[in-house]
């Protein structure tokens, strides 16, 4: 019952001014008496776990790591508190600034030894995992609950995600769960920042920048040395996103791309086995989180990026989506989304050759024809999104692919290309009772109609006009009075690989059809064109397959392992796609 010495001990250990030598002495004693640190002395153990060991001398760090190892091996009851203590160090320490009697608290970005502290934390985690094999299953819930809120500073989120990805290196059993956790949080950021909001923020920022420049011009015409000018350029807002959540998403996506690149490449060369393993994990994350999420704009690009490493991966991804699409046991909405992904991927991915595009078109179009065959005899052969969602989604994928790829499909040998397109029998698809032109997005339908008219594959305009006459505008009453609404996207479809809005990783896409191309579409093709004669339309700029598609985060090993610069990874290398 005599507790005065015990209270004195707790008081000494809680003293913020405790000396290194004292810490080492106490830890040495505790290591020898670790058998007595049972559940009853939980309060004392918590005080020991709060010791400021990370920012002390090397001797203190080594002694503390030894103490942690002894503690968890002798008293596994303290495993969770130890893991919580280590994980809490994965973000920069908090500092409190007092402004107008208000405490403002956030992460301390200027900590010089941040990367070294993170290294020590990972050593501590490895020590614990070595003594307690069941560490991963206890660690994962702690990683989830400690994930910073998406409104925390960019630096805090950046450091935490860096450290999560580092854990996957020495605890590979956690990789899938950690990737799921990161992608889930990235999705929350992504769906909170619609593309329109990002565009508006960028436009506003650009306008205010140009206004400032015009005001400043002539006022401050002093000489500046070159270095200052250089710094000004580097720190200008051009590398940052104007939208704060988009900026966070940009930094975290760069870290994820950087991680994917470094896992798949060993000494600069692609390691097939490691790439396949990571691909399987990422496809699993894609199925669980991305596919059921409607209209995410950026996060799905991790699949686009890993598929760019090798054609086999792109084909495997397309095959995976195709299985989702034509399996009637899948929910209709998942099948429709899989169709959107196939169309967008075939149209936008510059690294997919025409041969693969043709193979996919054959697969999709044959399925459409079989679907029409089955419906012709049934009672549901009429236009209804609820009944035929996957069919319409597949039609839109085929139309969208043709819009972007028709130049390549017809390139070289025009007659051969035309006979291939005629063999797809678009006329039957367009004219069928299910009327896909009524359901697909009008912009896609109009471009498809222009291309098919130019090459005399099918004439869509009579159907489009008939559909337009059947569209009944809906009058809705709102607070601002009555307004007329026409549903132009009954499928509620989206194109997941539409241009990437974030600034750091840079993807090059197929060019949009230019005004000149659209004009060319209005001119009919001359029948009797010789086999070797190219039509004027084909002589336009056709994107080549050998372009550089840059996505350029620093190496995960160098920059991601020690996140010191607060501005994310600079664009300093190019990856050949």
């Amino acid at each position: 019952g005599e507790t005065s010495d015990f209270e004195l001990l707790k008081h000494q250990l809680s003293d913020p001014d405790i000396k290194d030598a004292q810490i080492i002495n106490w830890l040495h004693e505790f290591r020898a008496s670790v058998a007595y640190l049972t559940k009853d002395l939980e309060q004392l153990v918590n005080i020991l776990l709060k010791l400021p060991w990370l920012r002390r001398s090397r001797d203190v760090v080594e002694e503390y790591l030894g103490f942690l190892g002894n503690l968890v091996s002798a008293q596994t009851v303290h495993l969770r508190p130890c893991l919580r203590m280590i994980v809490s160090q994965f973000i920069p320490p908090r500092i409190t600034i007092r402004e107008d009697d208000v405490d403002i608290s956030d992460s301390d970005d200027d900590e010089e030894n941040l990367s070294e502290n993170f290294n020590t934390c990972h050593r501590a985690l490895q020590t614990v995992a070595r003594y307690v094999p069941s560490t991963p299953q206890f660690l994962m819930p702690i990683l989830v609950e400690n994930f910073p809120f998406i409104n925390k500073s960019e630096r805090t989120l950046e450091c935490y995600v860096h450290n999560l990805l580092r854990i996957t290196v020495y605890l590979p059993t956690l990789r899938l769960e950690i990737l799921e956790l990161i992608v889930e949080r990235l999705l929350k950021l992504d769906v909170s920042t619609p593309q329109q909001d990002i565009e508006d923020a960028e436009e506003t920022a650009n306008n205010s920048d140009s206004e400032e420049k015009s005001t400043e011009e002539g006022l401050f015409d002093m000489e500046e040395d070159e270095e200052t000018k250089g710094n000004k350029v580097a720190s200008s807002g051009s590398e940052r996103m104007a939208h704060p959540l988009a900026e966070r998403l940009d930094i975290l996506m760069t870290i994820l791309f950087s991680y994917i690149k470094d896992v798949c490449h060993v000494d600069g060369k692609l390691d097939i086995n490691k790439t396949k393993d990571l691909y399987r994990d990422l496809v699993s994350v894609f199925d669980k989180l991305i596919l059921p999420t409607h209209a995410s704009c950026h996060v799905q690009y991790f699949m686009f990026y890993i598929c760019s490493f090798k054609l086999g991966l792109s084909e495997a991804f397309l095959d995976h989506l195709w299985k989702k699409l034509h399996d009637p046991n899948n929910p209709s909405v998942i099948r429709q989304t899989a169709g959107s992904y196939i169309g967008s991927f075939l149209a936008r991915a510059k690294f997919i050759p025409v041969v693969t595009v043709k193979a996919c078109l054959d697969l999709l179009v044959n399925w459409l024809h079989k679907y029409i065959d089955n419906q012709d005899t049934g009672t549901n052969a009429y236009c209804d999104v609820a009944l035929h969602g996957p069919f319409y989604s597949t039609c839109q994928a085929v139309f969208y692919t043709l819009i972007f790829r028709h130049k390549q499909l017809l390139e070289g040998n025009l007659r051969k290309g035309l006979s291939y397109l005629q063999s797809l029998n678009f006329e039957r698809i367009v004219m069928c009772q299910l009327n896909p032109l009524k359901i697909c997005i009008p912009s896609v339908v109009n471009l498809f109609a222009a291309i098919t008219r130019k090459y005399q594959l099918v004439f869509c305009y009579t159907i489009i006009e008939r559909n337009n006459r059947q569209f009944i505008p809906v009058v809705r009453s709102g607070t601002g009075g009555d307004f007329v609404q026409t549903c132009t996207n009954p499928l509620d479809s989206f194109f997941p690989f539409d241009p990437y809005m974030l600034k750091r990783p840079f993807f090059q896409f197929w060019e949009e059809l230019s005004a000149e191309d659209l004009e060319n579409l209005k001119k009919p093709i001359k029948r009797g064109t010789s086999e070797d004669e190219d039509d004027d339309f084909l002589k336009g700029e056709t994107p080549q397959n050998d372009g550089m598609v840059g996505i350029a985060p620093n190496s995960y090993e160098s920059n991601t392992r020690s996140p010191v610069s607060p501005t994310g990874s600079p664009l300093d290398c190019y990856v050949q796609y």
Side-chain angles (χ1 to χ4, degrees):
E2 181 57 53
T3 59
S4 55
D5 286 350
F6 184 59
E7 293 302 325
L8 182 65
L9 165 63
K10 288 199 289 188
H11 181 71
Q12 279 191 8
L13 289 170
S14 307
D15 182 6
D17 300 323
I18 188 168
K19 302 280 187 291
D20 284 8
Q22 280 177 296
I23 294 179
I24 291 169
N25 283 339
W26 280 122
L27 287 175
H28 195 69
E29 294 296 329
F30 279 118
R31 282 179 77 176
S33 336
V34 82
Y36 302 109
L37 293 175
T38 56
K39 178 82 174 153
D40 302 337
L41 293 177
E42 196 173 11
Q43 193 187 11
L44 178 63
V45 171
N46 285 339
I47 291 171
L48 285 167
L49 293 177
K50 283 176 186 160
L51 278 172
W53 61 284
L54 261 181
R55 291 156 194 85
R56 298 289 179 138
S57 66
R58 172 58 47 197
D59 294 341
V60 172
V61 169
E62 294 304 325
E63 191 66 38
Y64 198 85
L65 290 176
F67 163 71
L68 271 184
N70 285 17
L71 180 65
V72 293
S73 57
Q75 305 285 351
T76 45
V77 69
H78 299 305
L79 176 64
R80 275 200 189 91
C82 288
L83 293 175
R84 277 198 189 92
M85 180 274 296
I86 296 167
V87 172
S88 69
Q89 307 287 347
F90 281 169
I91 54 174
R94 301 187 75 76
I95 51 166
T96 306
I97 307 159
R98 202 161 179 76
E99 267 184 32
D100 304 328
D101 297 329
V102 178
D103 286 346
I104 298 168
S105 172
D106 205 347
S107 60
D108 178 8
D109 287 353
D110 302 322
E111 174 94 15
E112 285 177 13
N113 302 320
L114 205 52
S115 61
E116 200 179 318
N117 290 345
F118 290 156
N119 289 340
T120 310
C121 287
H122 288 289
R123 271 188 65 201
L125 202 49
Q126 283 169 281
T127 305
V128 171
R130 197 164 57 244
Y131 287 114
V132 186
S134 60
T135 295
Q137 70 192 66
F138 290 98
L139 177 62
M140 201 57 221
I142 292 165
L143 295 177
V144 173
E145 72 190 36
N146 276 276
F147 202 106
F149 184 57
I150 56 172
N151 278 350
K152 290 288 179 194
S153 74
E154 296 146 20
R155 192 72 181 122
T156 300
L157 287 161
E158 182 186 11
C159 290
Y160 196 77
V161 171
H162 273 317
N163 286 313
L164 284 186
L165 290 171
R166 275 192 69 179
I167 292 171
T168 65
V169 177
Y170 54 85
L171 294 177
T173 52
L174 285 182
R175 182 165 78 181
L176 178 58
E177 288 178 80
I178 284 176
L179 286 170
E180 276 180 11
L181 171 63
I182 291 170
V183 169
E184 184 203 349
R185 298 307 160 100
L186 286 176
L187 269 176
K188 282 184 180 170
L189 271 173
D190 200 2
V191 296
S192 307
T193 49
Q195 266 188 317
Q196 193 55 52
D197 290 8
I198 297 175
E199 284 172 15
D200 293 346
E202 289 297 319
E203 198 177 326
T204 311
N206 289 341
N207 290 344
S208 61
D209 280 356
S210 55
E211 278 171 27
E212 278 173 29
K213 274 178 192 167
S214 58
T215 319
E216 279 178 18
E217 238 168 61
L219 288 175
F220 302 102
D221 210 9
M222 298 176 180
E223 284 184 17
E224 290 178 350
D225 59 37
E226 287 303 309
E227 197 179 331
T228 322
K229 277 186 186 172
N231 289 346
K232 262 195 173 177
V233 171
S235 63
S236 75
S238 63
E239 285 175 15
R240 288 181 65 83
M241 301 294 297
H243 195 297
L245 289 181
E247 173 65 12
R248 289 174 177 77
L249 182 63
D250 196 2
I251 290 169
L252 299 184
M253 286 299 291
T254 308
I255 295 169
L256 183 60
F257 288 138
S258 162
Y259 170 78
I260 291 169
K261 182 187 163 200
D262 280 353
V263 168
C264 296
H265 292 80
V266 178
D267 301 326
K269 287 182 182 171
L270 190 70
D271 184 307
I272 297 298
N273 292 327
K274 285 186 175 180
T275 306
K276 278 183 186 171
D277 289 344
L278 182 62
Y279 169 82
R280 285 188 200 104
D281 282 351
L282 290 176
V283 163
S284 172
V285 174
F286 176 84
D287 284 352
K288 185 176 176 182
L289 297 170
I290 304 285
L291 210 50
T293 304
H294 179 66
S296 60
C297 300
H298 303 97
V299 183
Q300 58 266 26
Y301 270 93
F302 66 76
M303 286 310 304
F304 193 96
Y305 183 49
I306 194 166
C307 287
S308 69
F309 294 162
K310 198 164 179 62
L311 179 59
L313 295 175
S314 298
E315 289 174 347
F317 183 51
L318 285 164
D319 183 55
H320 177 76
L321 291 168
W322 162 243
K323 283 172 183 163
K324 292 266 178 209
L325 172 65
H326 80 94
D327 181 0
N329 295 318
N330 283 328
S332 179
V333 66
I334 294 293
R335 295 173 69 191
Q336 283 172 226
T337 310
S340 298
Y341 271 94
I342 291 174
S344 198
F345 193 62
L346 285 174
R348 296 284 186 176
K350 201 169 184 177
F351 41 83
I352 294 182
V354 185
V355 184
T356 309
V357 175
K358 275 186 173 180
C360 290
L361 281 176
D362 288 340
L363 207 60
L364 295 171
V365 170
N366 283 339
W367 183 79
L368 290 174
H369 285 303
K370 277 183 191 164
Y371 193 94
I372 294 167
D373 289 341
N374 294 337
Q375 292 305 318
D376 277 351
T377 53
T379 54
N380 294 331
Y382 56 90
C383 183
D384 188 341
V385 179
L387 286 174
H388 309 294
F391 171 81
Y392 295 124
S393 183
T394 308
C395 285
Q396 187 160 277
V398 170
F399 299 165
Y400 192 69
T401 305
L402 187 76
I403 290 165
F404 277 88
R405 295 286 198 155
H406 70 277
K407 280 188 182 182
Q408 281 193 311
L409 290 166
L410 296 167
E411 212 170 28
N413 190 329
L414 185 61
R415 186 173 291 172
K416 207 173 172 185
L418 281 173
S419 67
Y420 167 71
L421 290 180
Q422 281 160 356
S423 73
L424 297 176
N425 195 357
F426 285 126
E427 188 169 8
R428 182 167 182 250
I429 295 169
V430 166
M431 302 283 186
C432 75
Q433 293 291 310
L434 302 177
N435 195 354
L437 296 185
K438 185 176 182 179
I439 301 297
C440 296
I441 294 175
S443 55
V444 172
V445 169
N446 291 333
L447 284 169
F448 173 75
I451 289 164
T452 50
R453 180 180 65 175
K454 179 175 175 61
Y455 295 105
Q456 296 178 19
L457 299 168
V458 57
F459 192 75
C460 303
Y461 289 102
T462 47
I463 299 170
I464 292 172
E465 282 162 20
R466 189 179 71 217
N467 290 338
N468 288 342
R469 286 197 294 275
Q470 287 173 357
F471 263 123
I472 302 169
V474 181
V475 178
R476 294 187 184 279
S477 296
T479 47
D482 294 346
F483 63 96
V484 178
Q485 188 180 35
T486 313
C487 181
T488 54
N489 186 3
L491 263 180
D492 200 17
S493 54
F494 68 107
F495 301 105
F497 297 118
D498 265 9
Y500 191 85
M501 301 292 298
L502 306 179
K503 289 184 178 179
R504 284 176 183 81
F506 173 69
F507 291 98
Q508 237 174 8
F509 295 94
W510 295 107
E511 293 299 316
E512 295 291 348
L513 288 174
S514 65
E516 189 186 342
D517 286 345
L518 293 174
E519 276 303 309
N520 276 329
L521 288 177
K522 291 173 187 171
K523 301 172 193 166
I525 187 170
K526 295 184 189 82
R527 280 287 166 206
T529 311
S530 77
E531 215 173 291
D532 305 320
E533 231 179 26
D534 273 351
D535 182 70
D536 293 333
F537 183 55
L538 300 178
K539 289 178 182 168
E541 285 298 308
T542 305
Q544 296 303 309
N545 258 352
D546 54 2
M548 297 285 276
V549 179
I551 171 176
N554 254 352
S555 164
Y556 177 69
E557 289 300 314
S558 58
N559 202 58
T560 314
R561 283 206 147 192
S562 47
V564 177
S565 116
T567 54
S569 308
L571 299 169
D572 67 344
C573 60
Y574 282 91
V575 182
Q576 179 77 42
Y577 272 25

